Amino acid sequence: MRIPHESRSRDPFKESAISAFRRVIDPLIDLMFDTGITVQEFSQLVRDRAVRSAAARVARESGRNSNSRVAIITGLARAEVSRILDRNEASFSSRVGQHPARRVLAAWYDNQRFLDADGDPAVLPIFGRRKSFEQLVSTHSGGIPVRAMLDQLTQISAVEILPGQRVKAKSRVPIFKGMTCSAIANIGERTGDLLGTLKSNLRATSTPLFEGTAFVCDADRGAVPLVRRQIAEQGAVFIDSATSLFARSRSRPRRSRVEESAHCRVGVTVYYFEDEFATDNDAGTVTDQGRRKNLQRQYLKSKASDK
């Protein structure tokens, strides 16, 4: 009996890896959207990091550099591998695929056509054939509709809609409220540490690094606030205890350099997670805050502003 081609080509190991990557990538994509990173920028970053990581692995395992080996590991063309490795890592550019909102705001702040007499971003009519927000978006967004761009910039408080269908720039950098550079950097550090532990345990031949998770899938929503508070209290006590333990493990200054031992970074992170499940009552709910005001094209009325 012949085995169907689809059955023969299935790779359970690879399917498990792809499923795991989906779980990891989805939160990264949410962060990508919130911080204004485009898919092109993300793809460029992944290629850059993949090539450099593969090159370091090849050098570590074989004791020499080999762009051909890197190309095999990454699946990228050898020419692209060479281009990435020849480029200074510090000069990695995010210019390619720049976010449309960033392009629009940059042009509003830099292009003389959209500045006022003092050199500041001009208050623009939303619609118009010359000096308008519509023309700004049409020229610099790469085909994004004017209303969609206005909604996005309003949502992240980068612009303010004024009476008379006019719009004012408020911020050059499109970032959601509440985000800071240190908070975003913290995500990278904590996530990298957790993935490093899990990856290390996949290859562990002796005692694995500690990793444990407790959870239920049918928690009563009414009990969640109490659980959240108690977990925070217990977690704080544990972290204080771990901090004291780590302090005792730190090496003491020694008189002789010969007696100095190698140092390593060790730590532990405790975190609480909570998934929201939509209910029938949540579906289709639209608040007044979510409704957007209708806009009308008024070329004749805004003609004086277009000049």
Side-chain angles (χ1 to χ4, degrees):
M1 182 178 69
R2 296 185 60 184
I3 300 175
H5 176 72
E6 182 178 355
S7 299
R8 286 182 298 167
S9 63
R10 286 189 63 226
D11 184 346
F13 186 84
K14 187 172 184 179
E15 289 179 355
S16 296
I18 291 176
S19 178
F21 272 107
R22 284 197 184 103
R23 296 290 298 273
V24 172
I25 289 176
D26 283 352
L28 292 180
I29 290 176
D30 282 340
L31 178 63
M32 183 181 82
F33 293 155
D34 289 344
T35 54
I37 303 297
T38 63
V39 172
Q40 290 89 344
E41 287 175 308
F42 186 75
S43 175
Q44 183 183 10
L45 176 61
V46 170
R47 287 169 177 263
D48 182 271
R49 300 312 305 161
V51 167
R52 296 184 189 282
S53 178
R57 172 179 290 199
V58 168
R60 184 171 60 251
E61 293 177 349
S62 66
R64 63 187 183 87
N65 298 323
S66 172
N67 288 2
S68 297
R69 288 275 307 278
V70 173
I72 293 173
I73 293 174
T74 60
L76 298 175
R78 190 177 183 279
E80 183 173 4
V81 169
S82 299
R83 282 197 303 271
I84 292 175
L85 293 178
D86 290 342
R87 183 175 60 209
N88 186 353
E89 187 173 4
S91 66
F92 177 80
S93 173
S94 63
R95 198 66 188 171
V96 176
Q98 188 180 28
H99 195 283
R102 291 205 300 267
R103 290 201 302 268
V104 168
L105 290 173
W108 202 343
Y109 276 80
D110 296 335
N111 192 322
Q112 187 69 34
R113 177 183 176 187
F114 301 103
L115 301 180
D116 60 19
D118 296 325
D120 298 320
V123 174
L124 301 174
I126 294 177
F127 299 110
R129 293 190 175 88
R130 293 185 61 188
K131 189 175 181 178
S132 67
F133 182 76
E134 180 181 22
Q135 289 303 309
L136 174 67
V137 172
S138 175
T139 306
H140 298 283
S141 74
I144 305 296
V146 60
R147 186 60 206 250
M149 179 60 68
L150 182 61
D151 288 344
Q152 176 69 8
L153 295 180
T154 302
Q155 183 182 6
I156 60 179
S157 299
V159 304
E160 178 184 358
I161 299 179
L162 303 177
Q165 293 197 169
R166 298 177 302 151
V167 62
K168 173 184 178 182
K170 294 176 57 180
S171 172
R172 185 186 184 114
V173 181
I175 296 294
F176 277 91
K177 287 184 177 180
M179 288 198 178
T180 63
C181 292
S182 60
I184 294 172
N186 189 55
I187 291 177
E189 182 178 352
R190 295 291 182 268
T191 304
D193 288 339
L194 175 59
L195 290 178
T197 294
L198 297 176
K199 183 190 69 175
S200 175
N201 287 346
L202 286 176
R203 303 174 178 175
T205 56
S206 58
T207 304
L209 300 175
F210 173 79
E211 181 274 322
T213 301
F215 71 96
V216 295
C217 295
D218 54 353
D220 186 338
R221 281 193 175 187
V224 166
L226 175 62
V227 171
R228 189 188 302 143
R229 183 168 63 252
Q230 291 186 347
I231 290 294
E233 293 172 356
Q234 295 176 23
V237 172
F238 173 76
I239 291 298
D240 288 341
S241 175
T243 300
S244 299
L245 177 62
F246 290 146
R248 293 196 297 272
S249 71
R250 299 182 66 183
S251 59
R252 301 291 186 270
R254 302 190 181 188
R255 295 180 180 180
S256 174
R257 290 182 177 272
V258 178
E259 298 178 357
E260 289 185 358
S261 59
H263 296 168
C264 64
R265 178 173 174 264
V266 297
V268 61
T269 297
V270 179
Y271 66 95
Y272 167 90
F273 60 87
E274 181 179 315
D275 294 328
E276 288 291 338
F277 296 97
T279 64
D280 293 338
N281 293 333
D282 296 333
T285 301
V286 178
T287 62
D288 291 338
Q289 188 176 3
R291 295 194 183 102
R292 62 183 188 178
K293 182 179 179 181
N294 290 330
L295 300 173
Q296 296 180 350
R297 297 181 183 274
Q298 299 175 338
Y299 292 121
L300 295 178
K301 292 184 178 180
S302 62
K303 186 174 181 180
S305 302
D306 293 342
K307 295 182 179 180

